[in-house]
């Protein structure tokens, strides 16, 4: 078990560009945030950029900003253009392309907006936008139409209106606190927001969706854990996409959150050439479980503008589930879901195990391909 006192594990692979940085600074999330790499020049001190990546750093970032924490950059393989961390954080020229099926707001979140910062689409749950700031701007972000743009960030009035709406709607029993990344807020603002949500008696579940555990695990401080503990029960939804993100720092952050009483689940986005690899996903999910985080969803990549180069065929997701189911703990097998474009909601997909139905006799195949019969009564 990783104890709270071990939160500041030092990354052994710290790039030479940061050799002079003290351990104390490196472990401080504010230092990490303030020293994010935001230009091709800054990135070049850490990794060898190709010409097309340099161009993309200028052209693609006119639409969606670039920011990489020194910590997340330290996970990159400096000379490997296929490095899965790099592919998620460094712009590519393909972001400038638009596929005919791309949508600015693929999940119709704006259409279902009921108050300044709240989307209410499903019967008993709603999603609250807190900020459009993130530690790292993931190139596959499906909310890139707004994320990273401070002018579109929810105001205090928007947040107040959202809380007022929730107070008036007893059918909502579950709120997803999202963004951007809610952990971009200060502890004080997060405490205030979670407190106003927890004061709503019918709001049973508060979920906090964050990628900071992956891109800025230093953000999980004792004070932050104290804030989350105060407003239990809190579910934390992380966003690990690759085993290369599963560092000792991330493990310490997961342990600290779990020790603080949070229930942690992971939402992976399926990304072409990055994590469409069943064996890797299996190992990552086992690592997550060992570190007290339950793999919950694999999301099919949404048809948002500028990210179609990340989209895999549906078969790739089914192949991952097929490779996991039966071969490892069911706890390591997430739901593979497509969030239907236009706001249709999530549908869960899995390989076909029911081969035929003859009256009340059903024939299945198991994970090894052997057939078995089940008779209904
Ligand atoms: S952390 Fe989430 S909201 Fe922020 S850029 Fe990444 S995917 Fe988008």
């Amino acid at each position: 078990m990783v104890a709270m006192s071990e939160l500041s594990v030092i990354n052994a692979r710290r790039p030479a560009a940061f050799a002079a940085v003290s351990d104390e600074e490196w472990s401080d999330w504010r230092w990490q945030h303030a020293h994010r790499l935001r230009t091709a020049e800054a990135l070049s001190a850490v990794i060898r950029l190709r010409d097309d990546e340099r161009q993309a750093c200028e052209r693609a970032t006119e639409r969606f900003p670039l920011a990489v924490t020194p910590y997340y950059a330290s996970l990159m393989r400096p000379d490997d253009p296929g490095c899965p961390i790099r592919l998620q954080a460094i712009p590519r020229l393909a972001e400038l392309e638009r596929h005919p099926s791309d949508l600015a707001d693929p999940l119709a979140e704006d259409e279902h907006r009921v108050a300044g910062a709240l989307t209410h689409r499903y019967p008993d749950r709603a999603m609250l936008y807190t900020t459009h700031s993130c530690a790292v701007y993931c190139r596959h972000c499906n909310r890139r139409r707004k994320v990273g743009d401070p002018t579109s960030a929810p105001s205090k009035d928007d947040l107040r209106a959202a809380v007022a709406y929730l107070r008036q709607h007893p059918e909502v029993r579950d709120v997803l606190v999202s963004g951007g990344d809610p952990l971009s807020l200060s502890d004080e603002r997060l405490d205030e927001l979670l407190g106003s949500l927890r004061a709503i008696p019918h709001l049973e579940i508060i979920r906090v969706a964050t990628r900071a555990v992956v891109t800025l695990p230093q953000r999980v401080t004792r004070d932050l854990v104290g804030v989350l503990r105060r407003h239990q029960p809190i579910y934390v939804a992380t966003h690990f996409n690759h085993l290369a993100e599963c560092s000792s720092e991330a493990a310490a952050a997961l342990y600290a959150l779990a020790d603080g009483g949070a229930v942690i689940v992971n939402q992976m986005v399926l990304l072409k050439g990055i994590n469409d690899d069943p064996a890797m996903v299996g190992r990552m999910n086992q690592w997550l479980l060992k570190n007290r985080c339950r793999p919950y969803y694999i999301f099919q990549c949404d048809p948002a503008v500028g990210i179609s180069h990340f989209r895999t065929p549906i078969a790739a997701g089914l192949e991952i589930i097929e490779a996991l189911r039966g071969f490892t703990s069911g706890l390591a097998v997430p739901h593979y879901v497509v969030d239907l474009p236009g706001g249709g909601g999530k549908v869960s997909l899995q390989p076909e195990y029911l081969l035929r139905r003859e009256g009340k006799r059903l024939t299945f195949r198991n994970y090894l391909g052997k057939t078995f019969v089940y008779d209904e009564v």
Side-chain angles (χ1 to χ4, degrees):
M1 175 188 279
V2 181
M4 289 284 282
S5 59
E6 294 172 50
L7 271 179
S8 303
V9 177
I10 305 304
N11 190 329
R13 294 155 294 179
R14 196 186 308 177
F18 300 111
V21 176
S22 72
D23 290 350
E24 197 182 0
E25 285 174 320
W26 185 262
S27 306
D28 179 348
W29 72 271
R30 289 183 186 82
W31 182 91
Q32 288 279 342
H33 202 273
H35 290 82
R36 291 182 302 165
L37 310 171
R38 308 218 55 173
T39 61
E41 286 63 40
L43 283 168
S44 298
V46 180
I47 58 169
R48 197 188 306 273
L49 279 183
R50 293 186 318 219
D51 284 348
D52 58 319
E53 288 171 318
R54 265 176 208 287
Q55 282 177 41
C57 283
E58 279 167 26
R59 294 178 55 201
T61 53
E62 283 167 18
R63 302 183 187 185
F64 186 58
L66 163 66
V68 185
T69 55
Y71 162 78
Y72 199 60
S74 79
L75 302 180
M76 293 177 188
R77 295 193 293 263
D79 296 314
D80 179 6
C83 164
I85 305 291
R86 177 178 180 136
L87 292 174
Q88 292 182 74
I90 309 295
R92 281 185 273 174
L93 289 170
E95 290 182 29
L96 301 169
E97 291 164 17
R98 182 172 186 144
H99 189 271
S101 62
D102 286 353
L103 299 164
D105 179 10
L107 307 182
E109 292 170 337
D110 291 341
E111 198 180 306
H112 293 96
R113 224 169 245 248
V114 288
L118 196 78
T119 289
H120 184 191
R121 177 164 52 219
Y122 298 111
D124 70 345
R125 52 211 184 275
M127 182 163 63
L128 177 63
Y129 307 92
T130 50
T131 165
H132 285 156
S133 171
C134 304
V136 170
Y137 291 112
C138 316
R139 305 322 298 177
H140 57 273
C141 182
N142 68 351
R143 218 171 273 151
R144 49 171 30 227
R145 69 189 183 282
K146 291 189 170 161
V147 166
D149 173 10
T151 63
S152 71
S155 65
K156 285 189 176 170
D157 280 348
D158 288 334
L159 289 172
R160 268 193 283 272
V163 172
Y165 177 95
L166 290 169
R167 212 178 284 124
Q168 290 155 11
H169 287 261
E171 72 275 20
V172 182
R173 45 178 291 284
D174 177 344
V175 67
L176 176 64
V177 178
S178 184
D181 195 319
L183 296 196
S184 297
L185 299 178
S186 66
D187 289 349
E188 293 70 28
R189 283 195 64 196
L190 198 59
D191 194 21
E192 189 186 343
L193 179 67
L194 294 178
S196 61
L197 295 174
R198 189 43 79 213
I200 300 173
H202 56 264
L203 217 46
E204 296 168 7
I205 295 174
I206 299 174
R207 288 186 271 171
V208 176
T210 177
R211 185 145 154 87
V213 178
V214 181
T215 56
L216 181 60
Q218 297 81 359
R219 177 68 186 92
V220 183
T221 59
R222 285 183 185 77
D223 287 348
L224 175 73
V225 171
V227 168
L228 298 179
R229 191 199 306 268
R230 241 191 315 284
H231 304 293
Q232 287 190 55
I234 295 281
Y235 286 70
V236 172
T238 60
H239 179 172
F240 286 86
N241 284 333
H242 198 280
L243 194 60
E245 297 170 331
C246 299
S247 67
S248 54
E249 289 90 337
L254 290 173
Y255 259 85
L257 289 168
D259 284 350
V263 179
I264 316 171
V265 297
N266 188 58
Q267 307 189 144
M268 173 190 127
V269 179
L270 184 56
L271 301 169
K272 189 168 154 189
I274 295 175
N275 59 12
D276 48 349
D277 172 352
M280 186 285 295
V281 174
R283 290 201 305 279
M284 178 181 81
N285 287 357
Q286 288 164 344
W287 181 93
L288 287 168
L289 270 188
K290 194 174 75 180
N291 288 287
R292 304 163 77 184
C293 174
R294 160 81 157 102
Y296 176 39
Y297 279 141
I298 294 178
F299 281 111
Q300 176 66 13
C301 185
D302 293 322
V305 175
I307 65 170
S308 58
H309 54 294
F310 286 114
R311 285 161 64 184
T312 65
I314 296 290
L318 291 172
E319 199 188 321
I320 292 173
I321 302 301
E322 177 92 51
L324 297 182
R325 175 64 67 201
F327 291 96
T328 190
S329 156
L331 284 170
V333 185
H335 302 283
Y336 170 44
V337 294
V338 181
D339 220 338
L340 297 174
K346 297 177 190 66
V347 290
S348 174
L349 302 176
Q350 64 166 340
E352 193 56 79
Y353 294 105
L354 175 58
L355 299 179
R356 60 185 173 274
R357 173 189 280 274
E358 294 152 313
K360 293 192 170 187
R361 171 152 285 205
L362 284 74
T363 304
F364 293 91
R365 72 169 174 93
N366 76 353
Y367 68 103
L368 294 171
K370 293 183 180 165
T371 55
F372 296 85
V373 168
Y374 178 88
D375 290 315
E376 289 179 333
V377 292

